[in-house]
Amino acid sequence: IERDALLRKKHLIHVSGNNVPSPLQNFAELSSSYGCESYLLHNLAELGFEEPTPIQRQAIPVLLSGRECFACAPTGSGKTLAFVCPMLIKLKHASKDGIRAVILCPTRELAAQTTRECKRMAKGNKFRIKLMTKELVRNGDFSKLLCDILISTPLRLQLAIRKKKVDLSRVEYLVLDESDKLFELGMLKQIDSVAKACSNTSVIRSLFSATLPDFVEELARTIMHDAVRVIVGRKNT
Ligand code: ADP
Ligand code: MG
């Protein structure tokens, strides 16, 4: 416990919530404590990622412990990997069971970028990772949207839900990335319908943000229960 507190202090990690899991000392702990397979550690090494960033140190074990997470850390601090890494570890392998994870991003560009990052981390595993495009919503049939991880903007995904082109009832992980921007862009309604469509009662939701305005806190409170709150750096900056 003392060791956890020191590590958090060193990296300016602030946490709140019940039984917050220990922060990571290093990436090797992913395999020694969480059953991470070698392909992922290999990809991290290949990319030259030697140490987890502060948000990764704390958000990864929170999500790996099956807890919901509300995470706030500055732009450029590695938030993508903080939710992609536990997702890949928990999903383990590709499956034909339907969509098991959904990542919502505020813009198409960010969604495309997150898809690339996801694929880069999944290299060596057979996961199907798909970016929701206009064409898929318009012309795609149900089967074309089958994948393990689906990345989309809220609007596109809401459209696909309306047109009954996706089944999100088996989603185990729902991530709202850049939730401050999602909110600023007025996407609350779309987020709500996506969250409802992810009807599996054991879905684990997480919310990532670069800033911490009141409305993001409010959003976190309304969509999550017993979430661990992780804030890196000084609050409100
Ligand atoms: P954020 O979403 O917080 O703005 P990103 O996830 O886009 O940040 O990451 C910013 C950059 O840092 C990316 O180029 C990413 O590849 C890199 N990065 C992520 N994690 C690490 C790490 N552990 N070590 C070094 N670089 C990293
Ligand atoms: Mg980001």
Side-chain angles (χ1 to χ4, degrees), residues 27 48-53 56 73-81 113 117 120 177-178:
F27 281 130
F49 295 0
E50 285 168 6
E51 279 200 80
T53 65
Q56 292 164 4
T75 301
S77 63
K79 291 190 286 298
T80 315
L81 188 61
Q113 193 184 315
E117 182 101 6
R120 209 161 59 145
D177 191 20
E178 309 241 10

Side-chain angles (χ1 to χ4, degrees), residues 90 117 153 177 182:
K90 285 290 212 174
E117 182 101 6
T153 61
D177 191 20
L182 284 171

Side-chain angles (χ1 to χ4, degrees), residues 138-182:
R138 200 185 290 144
N139 311 319
D141 56 46
F142 203 77
S143 64
K144 284 196 184 137
L145 272 165
L146 274 182
C147 58
D148 298 292
I149 302 174
L150 183 65
I151 299 116
S152 178
T153 61
L155 192 61
R156 288 248 164 97
L157 191 48
Q158 187 198 33
L159 264 172
I161 293 167
R162 276 207 203 129
K163 294 185 166 187
K164 303 212 186 308
K165 298 213 169 163
V166 282
D167 175 5
L168 301 183
S169 65
R170 309 191 82 147
V171 169
E172 298 162 45
Y173 296 93
L174 173 62
V175 178
L176 308 188
D177 191 20
E178 309 241 10
S179 39
D180 44 356
K181 286 210 192 89
L182 284 171

Side-chain angles (χ1 to χ4, degrees), residues 16-33:
S16 54
N18 302 314
N19 300 315
V20 181
S22 299
L24 293 177
Q25 311 262 0
N26 48 50
F27 281 130
E29 243 179 82
L30 292 176
S31 68
S32 59
S33 306

Side-chain angles (χ1 to χ4, degrees), residues 22-87:
S22 299
L24 293 177
Q25 311 262 0
N26 48 50
F27 281 130
E29 243 179 82
L30 292 176
S31 68
S32 59
S33 306
Y34 295 102
C36 172
E37 290 182 38
S38 56
Y39 81 93
L40 189 50
L41 291 177
H42 177 87
N43 293 342
L44 289 168
E46 191 108 293
L47 291 166
F49 295 0
E50 285 168 6
E51 279 200 80
T53 65
I55 192 65
Q56 292 164 4
R57 283 184 197 272
Q58 188 62 74
I60 291 173
V62 166
L63 290 167
L64 284 173
S65 306
R67 299 287 300 278
E68 298 203 308
C69 186
F70 172 31
C72 181
T75 301
S77 63
K79 291 190 286 298
T80 315
L81 188 61
F83 56 78
V84 168
C85 183
M87 191 181 274

